[in-house]
Every structure is written in structure tokens, then in C-alpha cells.
Amino acid sequence: MMNKKFSFVISIFLIFIASFLFMLANPSFVNSNGLGFIAFFYFFPILIVIHNQNYKSNIFFGFLYGFLSYFLYAFWLVSYGVLIQSLLCVLYGAFWSILFCLLKFADLYFKKCGFLIQFLIILSFEFIKTKGFLGFGYGISGYSQWQNLYLIQIANLFGVFGVSAIVIFPSFLMYEIYKKIKNHQQNFLSVLFFSGVWILLFCATLLYGKNQIKKNENVSVKSKVSIIAIQNNEDPWGSGFNYYRSSIQQLINITNDALKNYPEVDIVVWPETAVVPSVSHFYDEEKSNRKLLIEALMHYFESKDCNFLIGNGFSEFDNINQKIYNSALFFEQDKNILPPKPVVYSKNHLVPFSEHLPFGIKSNFLEKNFDFHFWNEGQDVIVFEDDDFCFGTPICFEDTFDDIPRKMKNKGANFFISLINDSWGNSFVCQNQHLAISVFRAVENKLPLVRCTVSGQTCYISSCGKIENLCEPFTQTYNHYEIPIFNDYFKTLFSKLGNLFIYVVVIICFILLLNKFS
């Protein structure tokens, strides 16, 4: 009995350690950039727990790990709402309960190579958790390496999950060594073999990365696009006509200051939902304060010798129903400003629960009581084209998923402009976690990316993932970027094949497990 109690206490301790390691590897309140090297061994403690506990206990420990690790990692979600944070933690508690049981199954029934199957299970889970209505791109192991430029270049071959594979494998090697020592086994040949394979792959990854960065420095540039990104640092919960008018005036003031210093700019960018009143709806409405506000804004755009890209709620009518989208509107000088006929891209991937519910369900209760704002879902991936360039605009957390930027690349985008509003989190850590993920979208597609945000981490990310000209967070400011348009437009292996690598991993994992179950 004492041994069981002691084992239980040790397992609790290891779960807490593993949860803190997961948090520390990523941007956190302890280190705002994260300690990426920790990701190389942060799964080791949970593998020990799984090995030492039975199925019933693993359900509990799995729930505890999933709940606690995401509570610590995504603590900033409480600013959005206690309900959303609670749902996330409970959801990941449930996911990891199932995962612990699968890992226990692999430990018991794959005697010779159990650690390899466990590796495939967790790698598959990191991919599967980004899919479907509940898809959540945060917390993937590869993202912890966002500042290791040499290591992350393989993302242009295999996506972020290729980086994850390199990063998490040592945890499983350590676990295999632990098992052999515990069981007094003398044969370490398999461990030595797989350690050698990993070392070779790790070195090859670094050499590939070094070569890619060197190539990037020598790529010929056809032209450059001059962009001003405005960071307005407005209250995300503000509402009412006076607030909207003040917010737009502040955007205009910052833009005027920027244009004084950079008059030859091609595009001025305002972040996600920077303009709250719908341009499409209120410009055509009968006379009202909001109509006059939008008319004045359009005249302002028309008076400037540049294009404007703004975040706005685009409105349209489907028969008798009004649909409102979280959109990016592109106004081209002397083409579509008066009357406003912007090219529109509407956010395709909405935030679950807070922006939409499954199957298009609406909930007045959630909107009224939890400040949720339900949008309609955009159906097409649109890129914005000019005579000299083409670009895509992931909105909000769309750049935390790899599919939409990849589609934009394949439709001809020369660069990305992400429109982002993370100000609701009031957290530098939240914004840095998002920035870490954005880096991979640039690397995967080998395209530069400009982040235009409401409150922070407005910056330029080069096609090899180097962050430049970062605006000071939580300030009203702007930055100017010269975006290169490369002579040689090419597709990376990832932009051609997408997540083929991880799909193969998932299929292999499924077949192996199904074979044992049957």
C-alpha cells in the first residue's frame, strides 16, 4: 500500500514537472521568448508516469497533465473569458486522458519498439489537434524553436511537424534508456542505433538550414513593395459611435505621421477590425452618423496617393439575411475607393465558440452574456493583386494554421500581410506565442510576412524566419517595411505537397495500433 501511495505521489510530482517544462519551452511569464531547448526532453516525465501506472490511473494523470499544461501555457485566455479558458483546459485534459491510455497500450504491447510507437502517437496527436472545429495550433513542439533559424528551415520541406519530429524524439530515447536501466537490461544496441540516426538527422537539419539561409541572402530581388503597418493599440472591448469615431481618427493621425516620413509608400495597412462600422453596409445606408463617418473615411483614402488595406466587418445580404464577416478590404488608389468597391478576403477559419458554433448554430445567450461576437465564415481564399505584386492576408489566428497561407502562396502570393488583434489578451506572452507561430508560415512558403497588429509584435519576418523591425508592444505607433519581390517565384516542397509527411506518420501509426487492437 505504501509503495502505491509513494508511486502516486511521485507521479503527481512528475506531472507537475512535465507541465511546467511544457510551459517553459514556449514563451511564458517566466521567459517571454521561451527556453526552446527544454522541448527536447519535456515529454520524458510523462512517459515515466505512463509506464509506472495502470490504465485507470493514466486516465486521471492524463487529464491532470492536459489540464495543467494548457492552463499554464495559455493562462492569458482568462482575459478573453473564464469560460473559454476552462473549455480549453478541460478539452485538453480529455485529449491527454485518451492519449495516456494509447501510450500505455503501446508501452505494453510493442515490446521491442514501444518507444518508437509512442513517438509516432504524440507526433500524430500534435497534427490531429489542429484539425476540425476544435482545431488549435498553439502548443505544437516545433514552434518552441522559433528563434533557432538553422533548425526550422526544414519546415519548407515537412512543415512544423518535421521540426517537431526532430525536437521531441530525444524524450523517447531517454525513456528507452530509463526502461532498460530499470529492467536491468544490458543490450543498448537499439538505443545506440536510434541515437546515431537522430544525431545524423539533427546535424543534416542544421546543415540544410545553414544552406537555406545562405541561399536566401543571395536571391535576386525584382522589386520592392513599400508598406506602412499601423499599430493603433485601441481597447478591443470599446464600442459606440463616439469610440468608433475616435478610433478612426487615431488611425488617421498615426497614418498622417507615417506618410510625412514615407510619402512614396505603396500600401498602408490597418490591423484586424481596425474600422468597426462596416464600410459596405453604412456607405449605402440612409443618412446616419455612421454613414457620414464611413464617407469621410473613404474621402480620406481617396486623398492619399497610396493603397489601403484595412480590417473591417464586411456585410452582405443573402436573400433576406444579413451576413457579417471578419474581413480584409483592399482599396486601390483611383480604382475602387469612391464609391467603395474593395477587393475582400473574409476570414475562413473562425475561433471556435467565441466566433462561431458547430453547424452554423447561433447563440444569443453567449453573445449577450460573454461578449462573444459570431461572424459568418468566409468560403474562399482570396489574394490581392496589383500590377506589380500579389499578396495574401491571413486574419486573426489564421496564420497559426498552415493551410490558408499555403493556399495563398499557391494562388500566386509574393508575400503575406497578417492582420491581427491579440490586444484582448493584454499579454506580451500571448502575443509572443502568436509571433513564434507566424515565423513558420514565412519559412514553410519561403515568403516574407508583415504582421500588422493592434497592440504588439507588429514586425517584418523574412522568408527564412528572421524577425526585423519589431514595434514596441502596447504603444500607438507604426513601422515601415520594404518587402522584396523575388525574381524567381518557386514553390517549396511544403507548398507543393503540404503536410504529406505528417499524414504518412498518422497513417502508419493508425495501421500499427489497429493491427495490435485486432
Side-chain angles (χ1 to χ4, degrees):
M1 179 65 71
M2 185 60 67
N3 286 339
K4 285 186 177 181
K5 286 184 178 179
F6 181 74
S7 174
F8 186 86
V9 170
I10 291 296
S11 294
I12 290 284
F13 175 74
L14 288 174
I15 290 296
F16 273 81
I17 291 294
S19 300
F20 274 97
L21 290 177
F22 176 75
M23 174 196 73
L24 290 172
N26 296 283
S28 70
F29 58 82
V30 177
N31 186 300
S32 59
N33 291 326
L35 302 171
F37 69 92
I38 291 176
F40 286 82
F41 56 85
Y42 66 11
F43 284 131
F44 177 52
I46 69 168
L47 294 171
I48 296 175
V49 173
I50 290 164
H51 178 72
N52 291 332
Q53 299 295 329
N54 58 30
Y55 279 111
K56 187 176 179 179
S57 297
N58 271 311
I59 293 173
F60 166 75
F61 286 114
F63 185 89
L64 181 63
Y65 174 73
F67 187 98
L68 185 59
S69 60
Y70 272 82
F71 176 80
L72 293 170
Y73 169 75
F75 67 92
W76 38 264
L77 263 176
V78 73
S79 296
Y80 197 89
V82 174
L83 177 62
I84 290 294
Q85 189 192 42
S86 301
L87 283 171
L88 180 77
C89 293
V90 169
L91 183 68
Y92 274 87
F95 284 164
W96 277 96
S97 287
I98 297 169
L99 209 58
F100 267 47
C101 290
L102 285 175
L103 293 167
K104 180 67 176 179
F105 179 85
D107 193 47
L108 288 174
Y109 291 99
F110 292 86
K111 297 296 185 182
K112 293 183 179 180
C113 57
F115 75 104
L116 292 177
I117 308 304
Q118 289 176 320
F119 163 70
L120 295 178
I121 289 171
I122 287 187
L123 191 58
S124 297
F125 168 71
E126 288 205 343
F127 172 65
I128 292 169
K129 84 183 193 73
T130 68
K131 298 300 177 185
F133 170 74
L134 296 173
F136 190 58
Y138 288 73
I140 293 169
S141 299
Y143 292 142
S144 66
Q145 306 305 304
W146 64 295
Q147 294 183 304
N148 190 339
L149 294 186
Y150 287 169
L151 184 62
I152 67 175
Q153 299 308 309
I154 60 164
N156 67 35
L157 300 176
F158 308 116
V160 65
F161 303 103
V163 181
S164 285
I166 294 293
V167 170
I168 68 174
F169 191 67
S171 287
F172 299 87
L173 283 173
M174 292 170 66
Y175 170 63
E176 183 67 3
I177 293 169
Y178 161 82
K179 270 205 313 183
K180 287 185 177 297
I181 292 173
K182 181 183 178 183
N183 296 327
H184 306 290
Q185 295 180 5
Q186 304 297 319
N187 185 1
F188 283 82
L189 286 177
S190 62
V191 173
L192 290 172
F193 172 76
F194 285 109
S195 296
V197 170
W198 179 82
I199 290 170
L200 286 174
L201 288 174
F202 182 74
C203 292
T205 297
L206 295 180
L207 289 172
Y208 176 79
K210 184 177 181 180
N211 179 259
Q212 287 294 297
I213 292 172
K214 186 176 180 180
K215 278 185 176 180
N216 190 73
E217 293 170 352
N218 298 322
V219 172
S220 61
V221 175
K222 178 173 64 175
S223 61
K224 290 191 175 183
V225 180
S226 178
I227 294 176
I228 289 174
I230 305 298
Q231 181 176 292
N232 57 331
N233 196 37
E234 292 287 348
D235 177 7
W237 309 112
S239 62
F241 174 76
N242 289 333
Y243 171 79
Y244 300 148
R245 180 175 58 186
S246 173
S247 178
I248 290 173
Q249 187 58 54
Q250 188 60 51
L251 286 159
I252 289 172
N253 292 341
I254 301 171
T255 301
N256 286 339
D257 289 342
L259 290 174
K260 285 178 185 177
N261 294 318
Y262 301 99
E264 302 298 322
V265 72
D266 295 303
I267 309 172
V268 172
V269 186
W270 292 1
E272 179 190 3
T273 57
V275 178
V276 177
S278 171
V279 171
S280 57
H281 177 74
F282 288 106
Y283 188 86
D284 294 328
E285 192 184 51
E286 293 184 7
K287 193 168 184 178
S288 68
N289 285 336
R290 297 191 184 195
K291 175 182 175 65
L292 294 174
L293 183 63
I294 294 303
E295 283 182 342
L297 179 62
M298 293 302 103
H299 283 289
Y300 173 76
F301 287 169
E302 183 73 11
S303 71
K304 301 302 177 183
D305 191 23
C306 60
N307 304 316
F308 279 84
L309 175 70
I310 69 169
N312 182 238
F314 180 73
S315 173
E316 66 179 6
F317 282 89
D318 177 16
N319 296 324
I320 60 172
N321 297 315
Q322 184 184 26
K323 292 186 174 181
I324 303 177
Y325 304 87
N326 186 351
S327 302
L329 279 55
F330 186 48
F331 295 95
E332 297 182 81
Q333 191 56 226
D334 300 325
K335 287 186 179 180
N336 61 2
I337 298 177
L338 285 174
K341 300 293 181 184
V343 185
V344 179
Y345 166 65
S346 296
K347 184 178 175 183
N348 281 210
H349 197 137
L350 300 176
V351 180
F353 298 113
S354 65
E355 290 186 341
H356 77 139
L357 295 172
F359 315 114
I361 297 170
K362 300 291 184 182
S363 173
N364 292 329
F365 173 79
L366 290 176
E367 288 193 285
K368 289 179 180 178
N369 293 280
F370 293 96
D371 289 321
F372 292 174
H373 187 95
F374 292 133
W375 301 95
N376 291 97
E377 195 171 30
Q379 299 301 312
D380 299 312
V381 173
I382 304 295
V383 293
F384 301 116
E385 298 184 60
D386 192 82
D387 294 337
D388 302 315
F389 54 80
C390 177
F391 65 95
T393 58
I395 299 172
C396 185
F397 83 148
E398 282 190 320
D399 65 358
T400 67
F401 303 94
D402 54 43
D403 55 338
I404 289 174
R406 176 173 167 263
K407 289 175 182 176
M408 290 173 174
K409 159 85 172 186
N410 289 332
K411 286 196 170 187
N414 305 119
F415 57 92
F416 302 120
I417 302 177
S418 289
L419 306 185
I420 296 167
N421 183 1
D422 287 333
S423 62
W424 51 264
N426 194 30
S427 166
F428 180 73
V429 171
C430 166
Q431 294 176 173
N432 246 19
Q433 287 179 0
H434 194 167
L435 172 62
I437 299 173
S438 297
V439 165
F440 281 77
R441 305 297 86 89
V443 175
E444 287 165 351
N445 298 286
K446 256 195 168 331
L447 291 181
L449 183 152
V450 170
R451 303 179 89 242
C452 182
T453 75
V454 169
S455 60
Q457 280 61 38
T458 295
C459 65
Y460 168 76
I461 303 174
S462 74
S463 58
C464 64
K466 184 179 180 181
I467 298 167
E468 300 176 14
N469 298 330
L470 189 67
C471 286
E472 184 179 348
F474 303 108
T475 60
Q476 292 185 334
T477 186
Y478 69 89
N479 224 331
H480 174 255
Y481 307 108
E482 295 282 345
I483 311 302
I485 304 297
F486 301 124
N487 269 317
D488 299 321
Y489 183 85
F490 61 94
K491 292 183 178 180
T492 64
L493 184 66
F494 179 81
S495 61
K496 290 179 182 177
L497 302 180
N499 282 306
L500 178 63
F501 161 74
I502 192 64
Y503 274 113
V504 170
V505 169
V506 171
I507 290 169
I508 291 172
C509 185
F510 179 77
I511 290 172
L512 291 172
L513 288 173
L514 188 63
N515 183 57
K516 282 293 181 180
F517 275 119
S518 59

